[in-house]
Amino acid sequence: QVQLQESGPGLVNPSETLSLTCDVSGGSISSGSYYYSWVRQPAGKELEWIGRIYSSGTTNYNPSLKGRATFSVDTSKNQFSLKLYSVTAADTAVYYCARGVKAEHLDNWGQGTLVTVSS
Amino acid sequence: DIVMTQSPDSLAVSLGERATITCKSSQSLLYRYNNKHYLTWYQQKPGQPPRSLIYWASTRESGVPDRFSGSGSGTDFTLTISSLQAEDVAFYYCQQSLSAPYNFGQGTKLEIK
Protein backbone atom coordinates (compact mmCIF):
# COMPACT_ATOMS: atom_id res chain seq x y z
CA GLN A 1 0.00 0.00 0.00
CA VAL A 2 1.49 3.31 -1.04
CA GLN A 3 1.93 5.94 1.64
CA LEU A 4 2.54 9.67 1.28
CA GLN A 5 3.97 12.00 3.91
CA GLU A 6 4.28 15.77 3.74
CA SER A 7 7.12 17.63 5.40
CA GLY A 8 8.26 21.23 5.64
CA PRO A 9 8.19 24.33 7.82
CA GLY A 10 4.98 24.96 9.71
CA LEU A 11 5.53 28.72 9.79
CA VAL A 12 6.44 30.96 6.88
CA ASN A 13 6.90 34.72 6.85
CA PRO A 14 4.69 36.82 4.60
CA SER A 15 6.19 37.51 1.14
CA GLU A 16 8.55 34.52 1.48
CA THR A 17 8.44 31.06 -0.12
CA LEU A 18 6.52 28.08 1.22
CA SER A 19 8.36 24.83 0.50
CA LEU A 20 6.90 21.39 1.08
CA THR A 21 8.04 17.89 0.17
CA CYS A 22 6.00 14.73 -0.14
CA ASP A 23 7.77 11.41 0.42
CA VAL A 24 6.22 8.44 -1.35
CA SER A 25 6.75 4.95 0.04
CA GLY A 26 5.42 1.56 -1.00
CA GLY A 27 5.63 2.31 -4.69
CA SER A 28 7.86 3.98 -7.26
CA ILE A 29 7.07 7.55 -8.14
CA SER A 30 8.49 6.80 -11.58
CA SER A 31 5.57 4.58 -12.50
CA GLY A 32 3.82 6.11 -15.44
CA SER A 33 0.49 4.99 -14.12
CA TYR A 34 0.14 7.83 -11.65
CA TYR A 35 0.43 11.54 -11.14
CA TYR A 36 0.95 13.48 -7.91
CA SER A 37 -1.11 16.38 -6.67
CA TRP A 38 -1.14 19.09 -4.04
CA VAL A 39 -4.43 20.11 -2.42
CA ARG A 40 -4.89 22.64 0.35
CA GLN A 41 -7.62 23.42 2.85
CA PRO A 42 -7.83 26.58 4.98
CA ALA A 43 -9.27 25.95 8.42
CA GLY A 44 -13.01 25.28 8.21
CA LYS A 45 -13.06 25.78 4.45
CA GLU A 46 -13.29 23.73 1.29
CA LEU A 47 -10.57 21.85 -0.55
CA GLU A 48 -8.57 23.67 -3.22
CA TRP A 49 -6.72 21.77 -5.96
CA ILE A 50 -3.31 23.37 -6.37
CA GLY A 51 -2.19 21.22 -9.28
CA ARG A 52 -0.34 18.08 -10.30
CA ILE A 53 2.91 16.72 -11.64
CA TYR A 54 3.73 13.54 -13.51
CA SER A 55 7.02 11.71 -13.00
CA SER A 56 7.95 12.96 -16.48
CA GLY A 57 7.79 16.51 -15.12
CA THR A 58 4.59 17.51 -16.91
CA THR A 59 2.59 19.87 -14.73
CA ASN A 60 -0.81 21.52 -14.40
CA TYR A 61 -1.40 24.43 -12.04
CA ASN A 62 -4.55 26.09 -10.73
CA PRO A 63 -4.73 29.56 -12.32
CA SER A 64 -6.13 30.87 -9.02
CA LEU A 65 -2.55 30.86 -7.70
CA LYS A 66 -1.53 33.36 -10.40
CA GLY A 67 1.70 31.61 -11.31
CA ARG A 68 3.06 31.50 -7.75
CA ALA A 69 3.33 27.69 -7.52
CA THR A 70 6.05 25.42 -8.85
CA PHE A 71 6.20 21.63 -8.62
CA SER A 72 9.20 19.37 -8.99
CA VAL A 73 9.83 15.65 -8.74
CA ASP A 74 12.94 13.80 -7.59
CA THR A 75 12.68 10.20 -8.73
CA SER A 76 15.96 9.25 -7.01
CA LYS A 77 14.45 10.16 -3.64
CA ASN A 78 10.92 9.05 -4.56
CA GLN A 79 9.53 12.42 -3.61
CA PHE A 80 7.89 15.48 -5.11
CA SER A 81 7.80 19.07 -3.96
CA LEU A 82 5.79 22.28 -3.91
CA LYS A 83 7.11 25.81 -3.80
CA LEU A 84 4.64 28.65 -3.35
CA TYR A 85 6.13 32.11 -3.75
CA SER A 86 5.20 35.46 -2.24
CA VAL A 87 2.88 33.97 0.34
CA THR A 88 0.29 35.92 2.31
CA ALA A 89 -1.97 35.05 5.22
CA ALA A 90 -4.48 33.74 2.67
CA ASP A 91 -2.10 30.87 1.97
CA THR A 92 -2.43 29.59 5.54
CA ALA A 93 -3.89 26.10 5.23
CA VAL A 94 -3.43 22.39 5.69
CA TYR A 95 -1.52 21.19 2.63
CA TYR A 96 -2.07 17.66 1.40
CA CYS A 97 -0.12 15.66 -1.14
CA ALA A 98 -1.98 12.92 -2.95
CA ARG A 99 -1.60 10.34 -5.72
CA GLY A 100 -3.79 10.46 -8.78
CA VAL A 101 -4.67 7.50 -10.91
CA LYS A 102 -5.64 7.08 -14.55
CA ALA A 103 -9.30 7.25 -13.60
CA GLU A 104 -8.34 10.80 -12.65
CA HIS A 105 -9.11 10.72 -8.97
CA LEU A 106 -6.93 10.92 -5.88
CA ASP A 107 -6.76 7.47 -4.33
CA ASN A 108 -4.07 7.96 -1.69
CA TRP A 109 -3.47 11.03 0.46
CA GLY A 110 -0.90 12.18 2.98
CA GLN A 111 -2.07 13.14 6.45
CA GLY A 112 -1.60 16.82 5.68
CA THR A 113 0.63 19.47 7.18
CA LEU A 114 -0.47 22.83 8.57
CA VAL A 115 1.39 25.82 7.18
CA THR A 116 0.80 29.18 8.81
CA VAL A 117 1.87 32.39 7.13
CA SER A 118 2.65 34.95 9.79
CA SER A 119 5.46 37.16 10.98
CA ASP B 1 -12.94 26.65 -15.22
CA ILE B 2 -15.65 24.17 -14.28
CA VAL B 3 -17.54 25.28 -11.18
CA MET B 4 -18.89 22.64 -8.82
CA THR B 5 -21.88 23.39 -6.60
CA GLN B 6 -23.11 21.03 -3.91
CA SER B 7 -26.40 21.00 -2.06
CA PRO B 8 -27.28 21.15 0.69
CA ASP B 9 -24.44 22.76 2.61
CA SER B 10 -25.45 20.69 5.64
CA LEU B 11 -27.72 17.77 6.22
CA ALA B 12 -29.04 15.98 9.31
CA VAL B 13 -30.38 12.45 8.86
CA SER B 14 -31.55 9.85 11.37
CA LEU B 15 -29.56 6.67 11.83
CA GLY B 16 -30.69 4.03 9.36
CA GLU B 17 -32.29 6.58 7.04
CA ARG B 18 -31.21 7.62 3.55
CA ALA B 19 -28.91 10.56 2.97
CA THR B 20 -28.70 12.25 -0.42
CA ILE B 21 -26.19 14.88 -1.52
CA THR B 22 -26.21 16.49 -4.94
CA CYS B 23 -23.45 18.04 -7.00
CA LYS B 24 -23.90 20.16 -10.08
CA SER B 25 -21.16 21.08 -12.53
CA SER B 26 -21.15 24.13 -14.78
CA GLN B 27 -20.24 21.92 -17.77
CA SER B 28 -20.86 18.31 -18.69
CA LEU B 29 -18.33 15.95 -17.12
CA LEU B 30 -18.73 13.33 -19.82
CA TYR B 31 -15.55 12.28 -21.61
CA ARG B 32 -16.91 11.11 -24.91
CA TYR B 33 -13.99 8.86 -25.83
CA ASN B 34 -14.67 6.40 -23.01
CA ASN B 35 -18.23 7.43 -22.05
CA LYS B 36 -17.14 8.07 -18.45
CA HIS B 37 -18.16 10.96 -16.25
CA TYR B 38 -15.15 12.38 -14.42
CA LEU B 39 -16.79 13.03 -11.07
CA THR B 40 -15.40 11.78 -7.77
CA TRP B 41 -16.96 11.81 -4.30
CA TYR B 42 -14.72 12.12 -1.23
CA GLN B 43 -15.45 11.71 2.46
CA GLN B 44 -13.49 13.74 5.01
CA LYS B 45 -13.70 13.17 8.75
CA PRO B 46 -12.35 15.74 11.24
CA GLY B 47 -8.58 15.80 11.40
CA GLN B 48 -8.23 13.35 8.53
CA PRO B 49 -7.42 13.67 4.83
CA PRO B 50 -10.18 13.09 2.29
CA ARG B 51 -10.91 9.54 1.25
CA SER B 52 -12.08 8.60 -2.22
CA LEU B 53 -15.49 6.87 -2.14
CA ILE B 54 -16.86 6.94 -5.68
CA TYR B 55 -15.13 7.74 -8.98
CA TRP B 56 -16.38 7.92 -12.57
CA ALA B 57 -19.62 9.10 -10.91
CA SER B 58 -20.75 5.62 -9.91
CA THR B 59 -17.76 3.28 -9.40
CA ARG B 60 -17.23 2.46 -5.75
CA GLU B 61 -13.63 2.50 -4.49
CA SER B 62 -12.36 -0.82 -3.17
CA GLY B 63 -13.31 -1.29 0.48
CA VAL B 64 -16.10 1.29 0.48
CA PRO B 65 -19.33 -0.11 1.99
CA ASP B 66 -22.08 -0.77 -0.51
CA ARG B 67 -24.46 1.57 1.29
CA PHE B 68 -22.59 4.32 -0.58
CA SER B 69 -23.63 4.78 -4.19
CA GLY B 70 -23.18 7.40 -6.86
CA SER B 71 -25.36 8.25 -9.81
CA GLY B 72 -25.97 10.96 -12.35
CA SER B 73 -24.83 12.13 -15.74
CA GLY B 74 -24.00 15.26 -17.68
CA THR B 75 -23.93 18.00 -15.09
CA ASP B 76 -26.00 16.53 -12.26
CA PHE B 77 -24.75 13.94 -9.81
CA THR B 78 -25.88 12.38 -6.56
CA LEU B 79 -24.21 10.60 -3.66
CA THR B 80 -26.57 8.38 -1.70
CA ILE B 81 -26.00 6.67 1.61
CA SER B 82 -28.77 4.12 1.80
CA SER B 83 -28.78 3.57 5.56
CA LEU B 84 -26.86 6.12 7.58
CA GLN B 85 -24.41 4.79 10.14
CA ALA B 86 -22.81 6.79 12.94
CA GLU B 87 -19.39 6.47 11.29
CA ASP B 88 -20.71 8.27 8.18
CA VAL B 89 -20.75 11.63 9.97
CA ALA B 90 -18.31 13.66 7.89
CA PHE B 91 -17.94 16.28 5.20
CA TYR B 92 -18.52 15.10 1.65
CA TYR B 93 -16.97 16.74 -1.40
CA CYS B 94 -17.41 16.22 -5.11
CA GLN B 95 -14.59 16.93 -7.53
CA GLN B 96 -14.48 17.11 -11.30
CA SER B 97 -11.42 15.74 -13.08
CA LEU B 98 -12.39 16.26 -16.69
CA SER B 99 -10.60 19.57 -17.16
CA ALA B 100 -7.87 21.27 -15.12
CA PRO B 101 -8.16 22.89 -12.64
CA TYR B 102 -9.83 19.94 -10.97
CA ASN B 103 -12.16 21.95 -8.76
CA PHE B 104 -14.00 20.65 -5.72
CA GLY B 105 -17.48 21.48 -4.55
CA GLN B 106 -17.84 23.54 -1.40
CA GLY B 107 -18.64 20.48 0.68
CA THR B 108 -21.66 19.11 2.53
CA LYS B 109 -21.64 18.50 6.27
CA LEU B 110 -23.54 15.33 7.18
CA GLU B 111 -24.74 14.93 10.76
CA ILE B 112 -26.99 12.64 12.75
CA LYS B 113 -30.48 13.92 13.51
Side-chain angles (χ1 to χ4, degrees), chain A residues 52-66:
Chain A
R52 66 175 171 184
I53 185 167
Y54 289 83
S55 58
S56 63
T58 300
T59 55
N60 296 100
Y61 297 99
N62 193 327
S64 68
L65 294 168
K66 296 181 172 58

PDB file of all heavy atoms in Angstrom, chain A residues 52-66:
ATOM      1  N   ARG A  52      -0.901  19.424 -10.253  1.00  0.00           N
ATOM      2  CA  ARG A  52      -0.343  18.078 -10.302  1.00  0.00           C
ATOM      3  C   ARG A  52       0.931  18.038 -11.124  1.00  0.00           C
ATOM      4  O   ARG A  52       1.178  18.924 -11.950  1.00  0.00           O
ATOM      5  CB  ARG A  52      -1.350  17.097 -10.894  1.00  0.00           C
ATOM      6  CG  ARG A  52      -1.666  17.380 -12.360  1.00  0.00           C
ATOM      7  CD  ARG A  52      -2.557  16.318 -12.950  1.00  0.00           C
ATOM      8  NE  ARG A  52      -3.024  16.692 -14.291  1.00  0.00           N
ATOM      9  CZ  ARG A  52      -3.869  15.974 -14.993  1.00  0.00           C
ATOM     10  NH1 ARG A  52      -4.358  14.851 -14.511  1.00  0.00           N
ATOM     11  NH2 ARG A  52      -4.240  16.362 -16.193  1.00  0.00           N
ATOM     12  N   ILE A  53       1.695  16.953 -10.883  1.00  0.00           N
ATOM     13  CA  ILE A  53       2.908  16.718 -11.644  1.00  0.00           C
ATOM     14  C   ILE A  53       3.008  15.224 -11.939  1.00  0.00           C
ATOM     15  O   ILE A  53       2.673  14.396 -11.092  1.00  0.00           O
ATOM     16  CB  ILE A  53       4.159  17.228 -10.884  1.00  0.00           C
ATOM     17  CG1 ILE A  53       5.407  17.086 -11.756  1.00  0.00           C
ATOM     18  CG2 ILE A  53       4.330  16.523  -9.526  1.00  0.00           C
ATOM     19  CD1 ILE A  53       6.621  17.831 -11.217  1.00  0.00           C
ATOM     20  N   TYR A  54       3.430  14.909 -13.146  1.00  0.00           N
ATOM     21  CA  TYR A  54       3.726  13.538 -13.511  1.00  0.00           C
ATOM     22  C   TYR A  54       5.224  13.290 -13.280  1.00  0.00           C
ATOM     23  O   TYR A  54       6.008  14.237 -13.217  1.00  0.00           O
ATOM     24  CB  TYR A  54       3.386  13.292 -14.971  1.00  0.00           C
ATOM     25  CG  TYR A  54       1.907  13.276 -15.278  1.00  0.00           C
ATOM     26  CD1 TYR A  54       1.195  14.456 -15.493  1.00  0.00           C
ATOM     27  CD2 TYR A  54       1.201  12.081 -15.371  1.00  0.00           C
ATOM     28  CE1 TYR A  54      -0.151  14.443 -15.771  1.00  0.00           C
ATOM     29  CE2 TYR A  54      -0.148  12.049 -15.658  1.00  0.00           C
ATOM     30  CZ  TYR A  54      -0.820  13.231 -15.858  1.00  0.00           C
ATOM     31  OH  TYR A  54      -2.167  13.205 -16.145  1.00  0.00           O
ATOM     32  N   SER A  55       5.596  12.019 -13.207  1.00  0.00           N
ATOM     33  CA  SER A  55       7.023  11.707 -13.004  1.00  0.00           C
ATOM     34  C   SER A  55       7.866  12.203 -14.167  1.00  0.00           C
ATOM     35  O   SER A  55       9.065  12.433 -14.023  1.00  0.00           O
ATOM     36  CB  SER A  55       7.211  10.202 -12.805  1.00  0.00           C
ATOM     37  OG  SER A  55       6.704   9.481 -13.911  1.00  0.00           O
ATOM     38  N   SER A  56       7.238  12.419 -15.317  1.00  0.00           N
ATOM     39  CA  SER A  56       7.946  12.956 -16.484  1.00  0.00           C
ATOM     40  C   SER A  56       8.279  14.432 -16.307  1.00  0.00           C
ATOM     41  O   SER A  56       9.103  14.982 -17.042  1.00  0.00           O
ATOM     42  CB  SER A  56       7.090  12.782 -17.733  1.00  0.00           C
ATOM     43  OG  SER A  56       5.891  13.533 -17.612  1.00  0.00           O
ATOM     44  N   GLY A  57       7.598  15.077 -15.344  1.00  0.00           N
ATOM     45  CA  GLY A  57       7.789  16.508 -15.120  1.00  0.00           C
ATOM     46  C   GLY A  57       6.660  17.367 -15.666  1.00  0.00           C
ATOM     47  O   GLY A  57       6.621  18.568 -15.398  1.00  0.00           O
ATOM     48  N   THR A  58       5.749  16.769 -16.413  1.00  0.00           N
ATOM     49  CA  THR A  58       4.593  17.513 -16.911  1.00  0.00           C
ATOM     50  C   THR A  58       3.746  18.009 -15.752  1.00  0.00           C
ATOM     51  O   THR A  58       3.511  17.260 -14.797  1.00  0.00           O
ATOM     52  CB  THR A  58       3.738  16.612 -17.830  1.00  0.00           C
ATOM     53  OG1 THR A  58       4.537  16.193 -18.926  1.00  0.00           O
ATOM     54  CG2 THR A  58       2.520  17.365 -18.342  1.00  0.00           C
ATOM     55  N   THR A  59       3.320  19.269 -15.847  1.00  0.00           N
ATOM     56  CA  THR A  59       2.586  19.871 -14.733  1.00  0.00           C
ATOM     57  C   THR A  59       1.294  20.547 -15.196  1.00  0.00           C
ATOM     58  O   THR A  59       1.147  20.928 -16.369  1.00  0.00           O
ATOM     59  CB  THR A  59       3.441  20.938 -14.030  1.00  0.00           C
ATOM     60  OG1 THR A  59       3.878  21.895 -15.018  1.00  0.00           O
ATOM     61  CG2 THR A  59       4.650  20.332 -13.346  1.00  0.00           C
ATOM     62  N   ASN A  60       0.375  20.680 -14.257  1.00  0.00           N
ATOM     63  CA  ASN A  60      -0.811  21.523 -14.400  1.00  0.00           C
ATOM     64  C   ASN A  60      -0.962  22.294 -13.108  1.00  0.00           C
ATOM     65  O   ASN A  60      -0.839  21.709 -12.023  1.00  0.00           O
ATOM     66  CB  ASN A  60      -2.083  20.703 -14.626  1.00  0.00           C
ATOM     67  CG  ASN A  60      -2.076  19.932 -15.919  1.00  0.00           C
ATOM     68  OD1 ASN A  60      -1.799  18.735 -15.933  1.00  0.00           O
ATOM     69  ND2 ASN A  60      -2.356  20.608 -17.008  1.00  0.00           N
ATOM     70  N   TYR A  61      -1.241  23.589 -13.216  1.00  0.00           N
ATOM     71  CA  TYR A  61      -1.399  24.431 -12.037  1.00  0.00           C
ATOM     72  C   TYR A  61      -2.782  25.076 -12.039  1.00  0.00           C
ATOM     73  O   TYR A  61      -3.359  25.335 -13.091  1.00  0.00           O
ATOM     74  CB  TYR A  61      -0.344  25.543 -12.020  1.00  0.00           C
ATOM     75  CG  TYR A  61       1.070  25.053 -11.922  1.00  0.00           C
ATOM     76  CD1 TYR A  61       1.876  24.948 -13.050  1.00  0.00           C
ATOM     77  CD2 TYR A  61       1.601  24.675 -10.696  1.00  0.00           C
ATOM     78  CE1 TYR A  61       3.185  24.494 -12.965  1.00  0.00           C
ATOM     79  CE2 TYR A  61       2.916  24.226 -10.594  1.00  0.00           C
ATOM     80  CZ  TYR A  61       3.700  24.138 -11.740  1.00  0.00           C
ATOM     81  OH  TYR A  61       4.987  23.675 -11.640  1.00  0.00           O
ATOM     82  N   ASN A  62      -3.296  25.364 -10.836  1.00  0.00           N
ATOM     83  CA  ASN A  62      -4.547  26.092 -10.735  1.00  0.00           C
ATOM     84  C   ASN A  62      -4.276  27.567 -11.023  1.00  0.00           C
ATOM     85  O   ASN A  62      -3.453  28.180 -10.337  1.00  0.00           O
ATOM     86  CB  ASN A  62      -5.144  25.915  -9.331  1.00  0.00           C
ATOM     87  CG  ASN A  62      -6.582  26.370  -9.257  1.00  0.00           C
ATOM     88  OD1 ASN A  62      -6.975  27.317  -9.941  1.00  0.00           O
ATOM     89  ND2 ASN A  62      -7.364  25.701  -8.440  1.00  0.00           N
ATOM     90  N   PRO A  63      -4.957  28.140 -11.999  1.00  0.00           N
ATOM     91  CA  PRO A  63      -4.732  29.560 -12.324  1.00  0.00           C
ATOM     92  C   PRO A  63      -5.016  30.500 -11.152  1.00  0.00           C
ATOM     93  O   PRO A  63      -4.532  31.639 -11.151  1.00  0.00           O
ATOM     94  CB  PRO A  63      -5.710  29.804 -13.479  1.00  0.00           C
ATOM     95  CG  PRO A  63      -5.979  28.468 -14.061  1.00  0.00           C
ATOM     96  CD  PRO A  63      -5.904  27.505 -12.920  1.00  0.00           C
ATOM     97  N   SER A  64      -5.800  30.023 -10.179  1.00  0.00           N
ATOM     98  CA  SER A  64      -6.128  30.870  -9.021  1.00  0.00           C
ATOM     99  C   SER A  64      -4.869  31.285  -8.258  1.00  0.00           C
ATOM    100  O   SER A  64      -4.888  32.280  -7.526  1.00  0.00           O
ATOM    101  CB  SER A  64      -7.079  30.131  -8.081  1.00  0.00           C
ATOM    102  OG  SER A  64      -6.425  29.026  -7.470  1.00  0.00           O
ATOM    103  N   LEU A  65      -3.799  30.532  -8.404  1.00  0.00           N
ATOM    104  CA  LEU A  65      -2.553  30.859  -7.700  1.00  0.00           C
ATOM    105  C   LEU A  65      -1.697  31.853  -8.468  1.00  0.00           C
ATOM    106  O   LEU A  65      -0.631  32.238  -7.988  1.00  0.00           O
ATOM    107  CB  LEU A  65      -1.770  29.575  -7.428  1.00  0.00           C
ATOM    108  CG  LEU A  65      -2.474  28.638  -6.450  1.00  0.00           C
ATOM    109  CD1 LEU A  65      -1.823  27.273  -6.434  1.00  0.00           C
ATOM    110  CD2 LEU A  65      -2.484  29.235  -5.051  1.00  0.00           C
ATOM    111  N   LYS A  66      -2.163  32.265  -9.649  1.00  0.00           N
ATOM    112  CA  LYS A  66      -1.534  33.356 -10.401  1.00  0.00           C
ATOM    113  C   LYS A  66      -0.037  33.131 -10.610  1.00  0.00           C
ATOM    114  O   LYS A  66       0.778  34.043 -10.464  1.00  0.00           O
ATOM    115  CB  LYS A  66      -1.792  34.687  -9.694  1.00  0.00           C
ATOM    116  CG  LYS A  66      -3.273  35.046  -9.646  1.00  0.00           C
ATOM    117  CD  LYS A  66      -3.499  36.379  -8.970  1.00  0.00           C
ATOM    118  CE  LYS A  66      -4.934  36.841  -9.093  1.00  0.00           C
ATOM    119  NZ  LYS A  66      -5.918  35.885  -8.533  1.00  0.00           N
TER     120      LYS A  66
END
